[in-house]
Amino acid sequence: MDYPNNQAPGAPVRQGIPEHGRIPKYYAVKARLDLLVGELGEGDPLPTERDLSEEYEVARETVRQAIRELVLEGKLRRRGRGTVVAGPKLEQPLSLASYTEGVRRQGRTPGRSLVTLDRFPCPAALAAETDLVRGEPVWHMERVLLADDERVGLESTYVAVARVPRLDADFDPDSSFYAFLNGQGIVFGDADERLETVLATPREALLIGTPPALPMLLIHRVSRDTDGRPLERVRTLFRGDRFSFTTHLRG
């Protein structure tokens, strides 16, 4: 079939233009900038706000609003005092595959930077959610997620010390935790996962290197091994401008 106005499949109907045809000025500028982004390559600089406002004959604040939305959508990113074209979003599968596998499949180099690794008695809320025993020792590991050395997320993992007693000595924080568990003879069986959108806290935004107003994709996961025993509880923040999630559904 032919799509209206030759728009691409999956694009907003009539490119988001309301039926009454009155288009906000910033949105008209955004649509033109979107076309310009498609003509440029990753890392190419965008013309200055002054140049764009003169070319489109609108106020600089109108251009600024259009650019802000394209930054939030991940099509542009800030570099110093300017704005450049961003690369394609990373696609992360909603599956038991690790973050490392997902990033490598797209030709990027995954990495992690350790923020903290400590142990404490399992609190009541964590015990109720994971079926761990309240008061038993648990590890808490927090790491910044990297893709080609770019900070793209923040991962917080809880696991019983009894499952991996030498985590602090034997595990390389820059590597895949799933691969480490497999090496310990621990195999993932199933998991419950919940996905929502949130804003990062000031601390999280500082660690990830983003403005606090940038939307984040938050995944909560509780995993079990093949015997149904609790394995890990993970809270992972992904930058909304750098990630999309994929899954395969079967009827």
Side-chain angles (χ1 to χ4, degrees), residues 25 62 84 101 103 109 118-119 133 165 169 206 208 215 218 232:
K25 282 187 178 180
T62 302
V84 300
E101 296 169 10
V103 173
T109 301
D118 51 18
R119 54 185 287 174
V133 177
L206 184 63
I208 303 172
L218 173 61
E232 62 164 3

Side-chain angles (χ1 to χ4, degrees), residues 155-234:
E155 180 183 76
S156 185
T157 303
Y158 300 86
V159 61
V161 172
R163 302 302 299 267
V164 281
R166 289 178 50 83
L167 181 66
D168 56 342
D170 296 343
F171 177 61
D172 176 7
D174 187 39
S175 64
S176 167
F177 185 53
Y178 286 11
F180 172 75
L181 291 177
N182 286 335
Q184 303 293 309
I186 301 172
V187 181
F188 282 83
D190 67 282
D192 294 316
E193 203 162 65
R194 186 174 85 251
L195 175 65
E196 60 183 306
T197 57
V198 297
L199 297 178
T201 66
R203 175 181 178 273
E204 291 166 339
L206 184 63
L207 288 170
I208 303 172
T210 62
L214 182 70
M216 296 282 176
L217 298 168
L218 173 61
I219 288 186
H220 301 270
R221 172 185 285 185
V222 177
S223 305
R224 292 166 288 272
D225 62 18
T226 51
D227 295 324
R229 298 169 59 201
L231 187 52
E232 62 164 3
R233 201 291 191 199
V234 183

Side-chain angles (χ1 to χ4, degrees), residues 1-17:
M1 67 175 285
D2 292 328
Y3 289 86
N5 302 319
N6 296 318
Q7 72 186 56
V13 175
R14 299 182 64 222
Q15 296 297 340
I17 299 172

Side-chain angles (χ1 to χ4, degrees), residues 76-158:
L76 296 173
R77 60 186 176 89
R78 304 293 187 182
R79 177 185 289 172
R81 299 183 63 181
T83 306
V84 300
V85 176
K89 288 189 177 183
L90 291 162
E91 292 186 359
Q92 186 71 5
L94 289 172
S95 69
L96 282 174
S98 73
Y99 168 78
T100 299
E101 296 169 10
V103 173
R104 280 180 177 162
R105 275 200 298 267
Q106 296 166 80
R108 307 285 294 274
T109 301
R112 295 170 179 83
S113 175
L114 183 65
V115 178
T116 182
L117 174 60
D118 51 18
R119 54 185 287 174
F120 51 83
C122 180
L126 181 62
E129 189 175 8
T130 60
D131 290 332
L132 293 172
V133 177
R134 181 178 180 180
E136 73 168 298
V138 294
W139 292 111
H140 171 235
M141 177 170 59
E142 187 178 36
R143 297 182 293 173
V144 174
L145 302 178
L146 308 170
D148 290 343
D149 294 325
E150 178 187 10
R151 289 178 285 175
V152 294
L154 184 66
E155 180 183 76
S156 185
T157 303
Y158 300 86

Side-chain angles (χ1 to χ4, degrees), residues 12-28:
V13 175
R14 299 182 64 222
Q15 296 297 340
I17 299 172
E19 275 65 27
H20 56 56
R22 295 190 295 274
I23 309 170
K25 282 187 178 180
Y26 88 88
Y27 190 87

Side-chain angles (χ1 to χ4, degrees), residues 25-46:
K25 282 187 178 180
Y26 88 88
Y27 190 87
V29 172
K30 177 184 173 183
R32 295 179 69 176
L33 288 177
D34 205 4
L35 291 174
L36 177 60
V37 167
E39 297 170 358
L40 298 173
E42 179 178 351
D44 286 346
L46 202 67

